Amino acid sequence: MRNIQQKLSIARGERPAELLFKNARLVNVLSGEIHPANIAVEDGRVIGIGDYKARQVIDLRGAYLAPSLIDGHFHVESSMLTAPEFARAVVPHGTGAVVIDPHEYANVLGLDGIRYVLESSKNLALDFFIMLPSCVPATHLETSGARLTADDLKLMIADERVAGVAELMNYPGVFLGAKSELAKIDAGKGKAIDGHAPGLRGKNLNAYALAGVRSDHESTELDEAREKLRLGLHILLREGSTERNLATLIPLINSHNAANCSFATDDKLAGDLVNEGHIDHCVRKATKLGLPPITALQIATINAARHYRLHNLGAIAPRYWADFVVFDDLKNFVVRQTYKKGVLVAEHGKFLGKSPARVAQPRSTMNLRYQPADLAVKAVARKKIKVIEIVPNQIVTREIVLTPKVEKGQIVPDVSRDILKLVVVERHRATGNVGVGFVRGFKLKAGAMGSTVAHDAHNVVVAGTNDADILRAIQELERMQGGQVAVADGKVTAELGLPIAGLVSDRPLKEVMKMIAALNAAARSLGCDLDAPFMTLSFVSLSPIPELKLTDQGLIDATKLCKTSLF
């Protein structure tokens, strides 16, 4: 801490502070109470609480003052915004820090992707803390643009902005004691180790926790989360654009265990961040579901800071950074103002922070090799097919078995039964890998929708009603050097270019929101009624999430983590 003698003198009341927040109702997440307070600030830090003199006084006139909010687990790429534009979206909602896993950048660009995030997130009105991606690729069942080992993680683990090792997605590898996975956990010792264990229960979960994993954000059932909590895992209560688990998990929380929970959004689109909110939305929803407001704010602040060892964040007390939110209604939490190190950075929904210099974009990442004939699926007499079934508002899918529609010896989409063709084309190494399967749940009546955002390897993924429109979507994504697109009758009806790793736009927040809205409208016009159609599409190739998925290597049994036949 710089100028410590001067700060101590101010704390003792011997000289005036730089700034005084007066007449606040302080939400004290440390003592678990709300009390009247004046807060003195110097050089961006809280110096003391009490009666102080100051060169500038901000009279809050009885408004509530709480620490800025913290997201415990987020993939910034899922917003499709650069770090500065993401800050523009969430700072007005009171977010002061995010713990991010640049897993998507790393799968496309390797260590260069992590370095890009570290560089592009400097000097913003929002603190970014990095969890080093542990599973690049997520599994051996997909082709990604890079491969990271424990030795790679060791190169960056000492960085002060690195909070630990990100979600161990190869959870069978962890509980079975694979040397590669245990080495990654060992590389992060002394820092946080995040988990990823959807549906994992019983003795294998015991082994997973024993290996050193300390958190989980994948619980979709109450009993599952309770079992993980009982074994000492920090539970991240997830509420994103498609992963909406908060309502299910809130009954888990009581006054004795709340300290072991934090909020996380995991994946959330730009428009949802602006219109619905970020962690402030989690606080509002949790409160409406019966959680005491001060408990919700503790979960949104100090709990995440302590779990991830974010020093001097998450509370309002001497030594902590002066990262505050001001609001008027405890039961309907709406942020009026956001302060970063004592500086007003957002007010009444308007971002007031400075925009830093632009960082150079990473290299191109679109290297495709495919032919129209790769899309064809030859029928096998009297054989049924396995179909991926979408589960609304979840990233898990179901495996269903159906009789296919056959024309001229080929299996074709059956719009009347909502069975669409699904195609994944490898885009990093020009391998020529093309996976073809079928999916139900998008309800397209015509056309196709495609994306280069396709967790976790981020190859090209397209769902469509006919091969011509599927092919047109692939061609347009290649032309844009990455993005998302809707196609009907061979014509592009909406698109969003994502030239940064095929994941992120280089356009301002408002433009990105407008183009995402146009894409969603185009999907609806084709018949899709999902809340987040393109984000749902992005998860149908996520091989570590049960039950059935499609990657460039073919159809994947995501429960057993092995390839499986379409028939």
Side-chain angles (χ1 to χ4, degrees):
M1 187 189 299
R2 63 184 183 182
N3 303 323
I4 182 62
Q5 292 295 345
Q6 177 180 326
K7 290 183 174 69
L8 291 173
S9 176
I10 295 169
R12 295 192 299 265
E14 296 168 354
R15 58 173 84 178
E18 177 185 333
L19 187 61
L20 183 70
F21 289 82
K22 187 178 179 182
N23 295 325
R25 280 189 281 182
L26 176 61
V27 181
N28 195 319
V29 296
L30 300 171
S31 63
E33 60 183 332
I34 298 171
H35 57 85
N38 301 326
I39 297 91
V41 173
E42 179 75 21
D43 195 25
R45 291 185 188 267
V46 176
I47 298 299
I49 297 176
D51 294 325
Y52 284 93
K53 293 181 180 179
R55 296 188 293 278
Q56 180 184 355
V57 175
I58 297 174
D59 192 344
L60 296 181
R61 302 180 184 275
Y64 292 99
L65 188 71
S68 292
L69 312 181
I70 301 172
D71 190 332
H73 175 75
F74 188 70
H75 302 281
V76 70
E77 306 96 315
S78 68
S79 69
M80 296 186 287
L81 300 168
T82 60
E85 292 303 308
F86 173 74
R88 186 178 295 276
V90 302
V91 168
H93 289 278
T95 305
V98 286
V99 180
I100 68 166
D101 173 7
H103 179 90
E104 326 308 341
Y105 277 124
N107 262 284
V108 177
L109 296 164
L111 290 177
D112 285 345
I114 303 172
R115 295 187 184 104
Y116 169 74
V117 174
L118 283 166
E119 186 65 26
S120 62
S121 62
K122 284 181 179 177
N123 303 318
L124 301 179
L126 175 67
D127 289 324
F128 286 77
F129 295 93
I130 311 297
M131 300 293 285
L132 296 179
S134 67
C135 291
V136 178
T139 71
H140 62 287
L141 301 167
E142 54 193 337
T143 305
S144 66
R147 180 175 296 276
L148 298 185
T149 67
D151 288 338
D152 293 315
L153 304 187
K154 289 177 183 177
L155 295 173
M156 304 186 78
I157 194 69
D159 191 296
E160 64 180 2
R161 291 174 60 203
V162 170
V165 173
E167 52 184 314
L168 273 295
M169 300 182 71
N170 183 5
Y171 56 92
V174 174
F175 67 68
L176 291 172
K179 290 183 179 179
S180 60
E181 304 313 299
L182 297 183
K184 293 168 188 173
I185 293 173
D186 187 66
K189 277 189 174 176
K191 294 193 174 185
I193 308 291
D194 269 351
H196 165 109
L200 190 61
R201 310 285 292 271
K203 291 180 179 177
N204 286 341
L205 178 60
N206 278 314
Y208 191 69
L210 177 65
V213 173
R214 289 292 173 260
S215 75
D216 183 80
H217 61 273
E218 292 290 348
S219 294
T220 59
E221 301 292 339
L222 181 60
D223 288 344
E224 175 190 355
R226 182 174 286 115
E227 185 175 350
K228 290 172 178 174
L229 185 64
R230 286 173 174 172
L231 296 182
L233 295 182
H234 189 85
I235 302 300
L236 293 156
L237 306 160
R238 180 171 61 182
E239 186 76 3
S241 284
T242 56
E243 316 105 312
R244 296 188 178 270
N245 309 128
L246 191 56
T248 300
L249 301 184
I250 281 295
L252 173 73
I253 302 169
N254 59 46
S255 59
H256 303 293
N257 65 23
N260 299 314
C261 300
S262 300
F263 290 126
T265 54
D266 202 358
D267 298 284
K268 199 157 188 178
L269 292 166
D272 292 339
L273 289 168
V274 171
N275 298 323
E276 181 180 67
H278 189 210
I279 298 301
D280 60 322
H281 167 70
C282 296
V283 173
R284 281 191 297 275
K285 187 167 183 174
T287 303
K288 289 176 182 176
L289 290 168
L291 204 64
I294 195 165
T295 302
L297 285 166
Q298 287 173 318
I299 291 172
T301 57
I302 191 63
N303 293 6
R306 283 177 168 167
H307 177 74
Y308 288 103
R309 304 175 189 180
L310 311 182
H311 301 300
N312 304 321
L313 292 173
I316 298 176
R319 189 189 69 255
Y320 284 77
W321 290 112
D323 292 359
F324 306 149
V325 293
V326 179
F327 61 101
D328 299 309
D329 188 339
L330 197 62
K331 293 183 178 180
N332 183 30
F333 180 73
V334 177
V335 174
R336 187 214 301 175
Q337 295 169 319
T338 306
Y339 286 86
K340 188 66 179 174
K341 295 184 179 178
V343 177
L344 182 66
V345 289
E347 185 170 29
H348 300 305
K350 184 178 181 181
F351 179 73
L352 304 175
K354 297 178 180 178
S355 296
R358 292 182 69 127
V359 175
Q361 290 183 196
R363 58 175 170 80
S364 171
T365 58
M366 293 293 287
N367 303 292
L368 280 69
R369 183 161 62 87
Y370 62 94
Q371 301 177 53
D374 294 332
L375 308 186
V377 180
K378 187 177 180 180
V380 176
R382 294 184 296 279
K383 287 283 189 178
K384 294 185 177 182
I385 59 171
K386 298 171 187 174
V387 175
I388 299 168
E389 184 173 55
I390 301 299
V391 179
N393 297 322
Q394 301 293 341
I395 61 175
V396 295
T397 56
R398 297 190 186 98
E399 176 184 322
I400 57 176
V401 177
L402 300 172
T403 301
K405 181 179 179 180
V406 178
E407 293 180 354
K408 298 179 181 180
Q410 303 288 327
I411 299 177
V412 298
D414 188 348
V415 173
S416 66
R417 291 189 293 155
D418 185 28
I419 303 173
L420 307 183
K421 182 174 282 188
L422 185 67
V423 176
V424 177
V425 183
E426 192 275 325
R427 73 166 168 108
H428 306 291
R429 305 168 186 269
T431 61
N433 290 350
V434 179
V436 183
F438 294 86
V439 63
R440 186 169 78 175
F442 284 105
K443 299 180 182 178
L444 297 185
K445 303 301 181 186
M449 42 192 286
S451 176
T452 54
V453 179
H455 301 277
D456 276 327
H458 299 290
N459 290 305
V460 171
V461 60
V462 183
T465 62
N466 63 87
D467 284 4
D469 282 339
I470 291 173
L471 187 62
R472 179 72 178 89
I474 295 170
Q475 292 168 340
E476 184 63 13
L477 292 171
E478 189 173 19
R479 183 197 67 78
M480 288 193 294
Q481 288 296 292
Q484 295 183 330
V485 64
V487 173
D489 297 323
K491 297 180 180 179
V492 173
T493 58
E495 64 182 20
L496 168 62
L498 301 174
I500 304 176
L503 301 170
V504 169
S505 172
D506 57 357
R507 308 306 302 160
L509 170 63
K510 289 184 178 179
E511 286 187 33
V512 176
M513 288 175 59
K514 186 177 179 179
M515 287 186 280
I516 291 174
L519 277 167
N520 290 337
R524 284 192 296 273
S525 72
L526 297 176
C528 184
D529 62 0
L530 295 171
D531 290 338
F534 284 86
M535 185 168 281
T536 301
L537 179 66
S538 76
F539 285 116
V540 295
S541 59
L542 183 53
S543 60
I545 297 289
E547 294 177 346
L548 191 65
K549 295 291 192 288
L550 181 74
T551 75
D552 68 299
Q553 297 183 27
L555 204 59
I556 305 300
D557 182 330
T559 301
K560 297 178 181 178
L561 281 181
C562 63
K563 295 180 185 179
T564 186
S565 171
L566 173 66
F567 297 96

